[in-house]
Amino acid sequence: MTAPKSIALAAAMLSIAGAAWADWPTDRPIEMIVAYAPGGGTDIMLRTLAPFVEAELGTQIPVMNRPGASGEIAYTALSQAKPDGYTISSLNTPGFLTMQVDRELRFDPAAICPLARIVEDPGTFIVQAGSDYQTLADLVAYAKENPGAVSVGTTGIGTDEHLAMLQLEQAAGIDLTAVPFAGANEAKTALLGGHVNVIGLNVGEYTSSDQNAVRALAQFSEQRSTLAPDLPTAKEQGFDVLMSSERGLAARCDVPEVDRARLAQAIETALAKPEFQEKAKQQQLPLSYVSGADWTAQMPARLERFREILALVEGGQ
């Protein structure tokens, strides 16, 4: 084959590939995996957002819950999907980062690329409304007298609730017992059933809960969230505990860049819609958009901080 013919063929192939990418997405659905059980903050966020991204991309986006292992099951499913842009997943820190520290994974974290951070929600500890713990100091005082007796429900090892618990143990010199659940709803059910003493939630999850059934003890932020302006921070109560949950979306890094860019743009545009922002307000979602590139750039520093927190307690348990 002569050089001109080779060049012409290569150009034709690039043109066909470009046309195929330009046609993405077709009417084929884009599966959105949620790494936690139905009813929690991540699930509510993505079910609220999905119809608006559907409108931007012109295709259906069914939401599929694949909870377990602090998100590892979902990330493994994403990594095993075809790199064609038709599978995306929730991405949650600290879990996505801490699992890289405490165990061997079934997926390669470097192969997963953030598309956007959507929410950052401070952590909180909540108890039954009738609990004897009126403040964080009450919980600490009891735990000091009864090492290991206070059980704390979390959504898994290395999640924000677990890291907040480790920080409180270190700050107060106490020993708590972590009890993992598949999602926030399961943890709330266990709390209301008296199976655990305390659970870790996020402020948005707490403020959307039945306030007659539960009570928050503190929020783990530098300043009080606008969602709960009357709830004191742990620092205000004398305990150095800072932790939040970041929730967003990710795709495989080997999805064609043009398709990942279109996904990211559709998410950003959907988040800016006044209709979505109103629904997010109704759902108590503390929106805090960060682009995929900027979120990726922030993760090494976050990973180092989480590594230090896990090292506070031997074995990170």
Side-chain angles (χ1 to χ4, degrees):
M1 182 180 291
T2 64
K5 287 183 179 180
S6 298
I7 293 172
L9 179 58
M13 292 176 68
L14 286 172
S15 177
I16 292 170
W21 290 358
D23 289 341
W24 181 95
T26 63
D27 57 1
R28 177 182 165 191
I30 298 172
E31 180 178 314
M32 182 183 284
I33 301 172
V34 180
Y36 296 93
T42 302
D43 181 72
I44 291 171
M45 175 189 78
L46 293 182
R47 290 184 187 276
T48 303
L49 177 64
F52 294 89
V53 181
E54 286 178 339
E56 293 302 312
L57 295 175
T59 192
Q60 293 184 328
I61 303 180
V63 178
M64 312 293 289
N65 296 87
R66 298 195 183 185
S70 305
E72 185 179 355
I73 290 175
Y75 305 140
T76 301
L78 176 63
S79 70
Q80 292 173 348
K82 292 181 179 179
D84 55 11
Y86 288 98
T87 305
I88 58 178
S89 172
S90 63
L91 186 68
N92 296 59
T93 74
F96 175 72
L97 297 173
T98 55
M99 65 178 61
Q100 300 175 36
V101 176
D102 64 21
R103 61 184 182 267
E104 186 174 339
L105 300 175
R106 292 169 289 176
F107 71 96
D108 178 7
I112 293 179
C113 282
L115 296 168
R117 187 185 81 178
I118 299 166
V119 156
E120 183 172 21
D121 199 354
T124 181
F125 274 2
I126 73 167
V127 295
Q128 287 189 28
S131 171
D132 291 337
Y133 308 139
Q134 296 292 319
T135 66
L136 202 57
D138 290 340
L139 183 154
V140 167
Y142 183 85
K144 282 186 175 180
E145 294 182 3
N146 303 274
V150 177
S151 53
V152 181
T154 75
T155 54
I157 293 174
T159 58
D160 56 303
E161 304 97 349
H162 182 229
L163 294 185
M165 189 198 86
L166 294 180
Q167 288 180 82
L168 183 60
E169 286 182 321
Q170 178 72 12
I174 57 176
D175 181 20
L176 305 170
T177 298
V179 182
F181 294 92
N185 260 10
E186 286 81 354
K188 281 194 277 188
T189 299
L191 176 69
L192 295 177
H195 304 297
V196 292
N197 305 116
V198 185
I199 64 170
L201 286 183
N202 297 108
V203 170
E205 293 170 325
Y206 164 66
T207 56
S208 61
S209 300
D210 180 359
Q211 303 293 294
N212 294 318
V214 296
R215 182 177 67 252
L217 301 180
Q219 54 183 308
F220 304 132
S221 52
E222 287 282 4
Q223 298 179 333
R224 298 187 187 191
S225 168
T226 56
L227 293 179
D230 297 327
L231 178 61
T233 67
K235 280 197 167 186
E236 288 177 70
Q237 300 180 62
F239 303 102
D240 189 11
V241 181
L242 286 173
M243 188 51 56
S244 65
S245 171
E246 294 182 295
R247 307 177 195 132
L249 282 165
R252 286 182 54 143
C253 295
D254 52 359
V255 169
E257 186 176 354
V258 66
D259 297 342
R260 280 193 287 113
R262 190 170 177 197
L263 274 166
Q265 184 59 59
I267 295 165
E268 183 179 1
T269 301
L271 292 173
K273 296 285 185 182
E275 298 87 351
F276 168 76
Q277 294 189 9
E278 179 58 31
K279 286 186 177 294
K281 183 178 180 181
Q282 294 169 4
Q283 297 287 359
Q284 302 287 296
L285 298 176
L287 300 178
S288 182
Y289 170 77
V290 174
S291 72
D294 288 345
W295 197 15
T296 299
Q298 294 169 6
M299 286 194 180
R302 281 172 165 73
L303 175 58
E304 184 56 34
R305 176 172 177 255
F306 299 149
R307 192 188 302 273
E308 292 171 357
I309 294 171
L310 286 169
L312 291 174
V313 178
E314 184 177 351
Q317 300 298 316

